[in-house]
Amino acid sequence: MPWSVYLALKQLFPPGKRFPAFALVSIVGVAIGVCSLLVVQTVMNGYAREHRENIQRMYGHVIVRNIDDGFISDYRAVAEKLERVPGVVAAAPYAEGQVMVKNGDTPALPFVRGIDLEQEDKVIPVRRNIVAGTLDALDDDRVVLGSELARQLRVRFTRGYETADGKRVPARVLPGQVLEIYSPTMISDLQREEVPLPVELEVCGIFESGYRPADESTIIVSLRRMQELYGLGKSVHGIRLRVADAEGATAMLPAVNAALPRGLRAFSWMSVNWNFLQAVQFEKTMLFFLMFIITLVASFSIASTLFSAVVKRSREIGILGALGGRPRQILTIFAAQGLFVGAIGYGFGCLLTFAIVAGRDRIVAFINSIFGDGEMIQTQYMFSQIPVHYSAADFVIAAAFTLATTTVAGLIPAIWAARRKPAEAMRES
């Protein structure tokens, strides 16, 4: 080990003495900065990943639409042709639009989605999200609701639970609950001075995806019922595709578009939600730089403390120069101290990050018990709990930025110390 590095360690952590306040405060400052940076990035990664997965689960990987009149008439032939495109796993037709729903005196304005149950299972895992009732009972006279929408409409259902003797009671929807549905096509009945009669559908299931916008504003009906509600005849609004590589959906578009007849065009889930995904990425980037300011503040603290150490050790610096110590070696002593503080602070910051992320739900519950009502995550960020996702790239970038800033913070006083002449340093002491 070079003597300059050994001396840097000895000055930073003097043997046989109490842990120096300079090292403690500097390491804690760096650790807090690193922890803030990594916690924010890990949570933002979780939000971004959950949003992407929810978009894929609810809307498919590729959407085919008619860019001329908005309807696809011969959708079965188109779907069969698309399923022969390499990389396409399955295709499912859909029709969707907004309706008014009433349960007694309780109204709502959700989006209704008409699906072909057999094909939909191959593209979107709706069945996996059913928490009460069953999707198999869905037909032209029944409907499936999102869990939040069901609560708004006061639809009664029970979740599964285990009795005291160990028996499992399945979740179920209480029978006989009928919703009245009014579609926009009923306006024509009013124009003809006819009284529009609502379509009555019985609730047969409740789904919960964990994605609040879908859970509070979506109902699912059969495709034939949706075609009747919107007067589509035998047409649909579009076709959803599931592809082998969801992240490579954009690369699939040329092959898919080549298989489509004139007037139809395919869009990837990323292009349909481009503005939203870019906003999430921009928020993550801005939060990275805002949190990095904390590390910069800690670096300035390191620089100011090392300046004090240089002034205090002017005589020692002069003696080292008189004994043959080169300016580069003297510079290494103080620059290495900044590097060591950054490395140790980064390590403790990572450990603190893991601890906070592991206990994030308890921390949020405690904060909400003091300042909120416990619904902040659901109402503001549309998730039932805080999602997280560790990214090795974030840890590498945080390490590079932290070590670079703390080393530079040590270099500034180190350069000043290295440029001093031995005689001048000894005389000023």
Side-chain angles (χ1 to χ4, degrees):
M1 178 188 294
W3 67 266
S4 55
V5 176
Y6 171 77
L7 187 58
L9 285 171
K10 191 173 181 180
Q11 289 182 356
L12 195 59
F13 309 109
K17 295 184 179 180
R18 191 169 53 185
F19 200 83
F22 151 68
L24 178 62
V25 172
S26 300
I27 290 173
V28 169
V30 173
I32 292 175
V34 170
C35 174
S36 302
L37 179 63
L38 291 178
V39 167
V40 168
Q41 293 301 291
T42 300
V43 172
M44 288 303 300
N45 287 339
Y47 281 130
R49 185 179 185 182
E50 285 293 319
H51 277 303
R52 295 169 76 90
E53 291 180 353
N54 284 328
I55 290 171
Q56 294 172 30
R57 281 199 300 264
M58 295 304 299
Y59 307 109
H61 300 156
V62 176
I63 299 175
V64 176
R65 295 172 179 165
N66 189 323
I67 58 176
D68 293 332
D69 59 12
F71 303 103
I72 302 177
S73 55
D74 192 13
Y75 64 88
R76 288 189 177 89
V78 175
E80 291 176 0
K81 189 175 182 180
L82 288 173
E83 287 180 336
R84 293 194 291 267
V85 175
V88 175
V89 177
Y94 73 92
E96 61 185 7
Q98 196 167 22
V99 296
M100 187 181 82
V101 178
K102 287 183 64 179
N103 182 22
D105 295 329
T106 307
L109 294 171
F111 280 90
V112 59
R113 180 189 299 179
I115 63 172
D116 182 328
L117 188 56
E118 181 180 352
Q119 291 298 113
E120 192 77 6
D121 273 341
K122 302 175 183 178
V123 178
I124 298 176
V126 179
R127 191 181 303 275
R128 190 188 309 169
N129 296 327
I130 297 296
V131 295
T134 174
L135 191 64
D136 294 324
L138 182 67
D139 56 25
D140 294 349
D141 297 316
R142 291 182 174 88
V143 63
V144 174
L145 305 179
S147 58
E148 293 298 323
L149 178 61
R151 293 187 182 94
Q152 294 175 25
L153 291 172
R154 300 177 183 176
V155 172
R156 294 168 294 168
F157 65 96
T158 62
R159 295 183 180 271
Y161 62 94
E162 194 170 288
T163 61
D165 55 357
K167 293 182 179 180
R168 181 68 183 176
V169 177
R172 68 189 186 97
V173 179
L174 299 185
Q177 300 182 87
V178 177
L179 303 181
E180 296 179 351
I181 298 181
Y182 298 83
S183 70
T185 57
M186 294 178 180
I187 297 176
S188 60
D189 295 337
L190 291 174
Q191 293 174 343
R192 293 194 300 267
E193 296 183 355
E194 298 178 3
V195 178
L197 297 177
V199 175
E200 295 185 344
L201 301 179
E202 183 180 0
V203 180
C204 68
I206 305 294
F207 75 87
E208 186 171 81
S209 65
Y211 186 51
R212 194 177 180 90
D215 293 340
E216 68 182 7
S217 64
T218 303
I219 68 175
I220 299 174
V221 300
S222 67
L223 181 60
R224 185 164 51 244
R225 173 58 72 184
M226 182 59 189
Q227 289 170 330
E228 293 176 0
L229 285 173
Y230 262 68
L232 299 178
K234 298 297 182 180
S235 300
V236 297
H237 287 137
I239 300 173
R240 289 192 174 92
L241 305 181
R242 180 184 175 191
V243 299
D245 180 15
E247 295 298 324
T250 301
M252 288 283 302
L253 294 183
V256 173
N257 282 319
L260 293 174
R262 180 174 298 180
L264 302 187
R265 183 175 297 175
F267 303 88
S268 70
W269 64 273
M270 289 173 281
S271 61
V272 173
N273 299 277
W274 174 258
N275 291 336
F276 176 76
L277 294 174
Q278 287 299 108
V280 172
Q281 182 60 39
F282 178 76
E283 184 178 359
K284 177 186 174 182
T285 303
M286 291 304 299
L287 286 173
F288 175 88
F289 286 106
L290 289 175
M291 293 299 104
F292 185 66
I293 293 176
I294 300 177
T295 306
L296 287 177
V297 172
S299 299
F300 279 111
S301 174
I302 294 171
S304 63
T305 307
L306 284 177
F307 260 120
S308 301
V310 168
V311 174
K312 183 179 179 181
R313 294 191 173 100
S314 293
R315 182 180 180 84
E316 296 176 20
I317 295 172
I319 293 174
L320 289 174
L323 292 175
R326 297 177 180 178
R328 176 174 55 84
Q329 294 171 318
I330 296 175
L331 184 146
T332 302
I333 295 173
F334 296 97
Q337 291 185 37
L339 177 62
F340 292 148
V341 168
I344 298 171
Y346 174 78
F348 280 109
C350 290
L351 294 177
L352 189 57
T353 297
F354 296 138
I356 290 177
V357 170
R360 63 189 182 279
D361 292 329
R362 289 187 292 271
I363 294 173
V364 171
F366 173 74
I367 294 174
N368 279 331
S369 67
I370 299 176
F371 301 106
D373 58 1
E375 297 293 330
M376 178 179 63
I377 302 300
Q378 291 90 334
T379 56
Q380 299 298 324
Y381 293 99
M382 301 173 292
F383 292 106
S384 55
Q385 60 182 0
I386 299 178
V388 296
H389 175 63
Y390 291 107
S391 171
D394 288 335
F395 282 80
V396 172
I397 293 173
F401 270 80
T402 301
L403 295 179
T405 53
T406 54
T407 302
V408 170
L411 275 175
I412 297 173
I415 292 173
W416 185 78
R419 295 179 62 182
R420 304 194 70 187
K421 296 179 181 180
E424 178 184 339
M426 294 179 68
R427 184 169 57 251
E428 289 185 3
S429 63

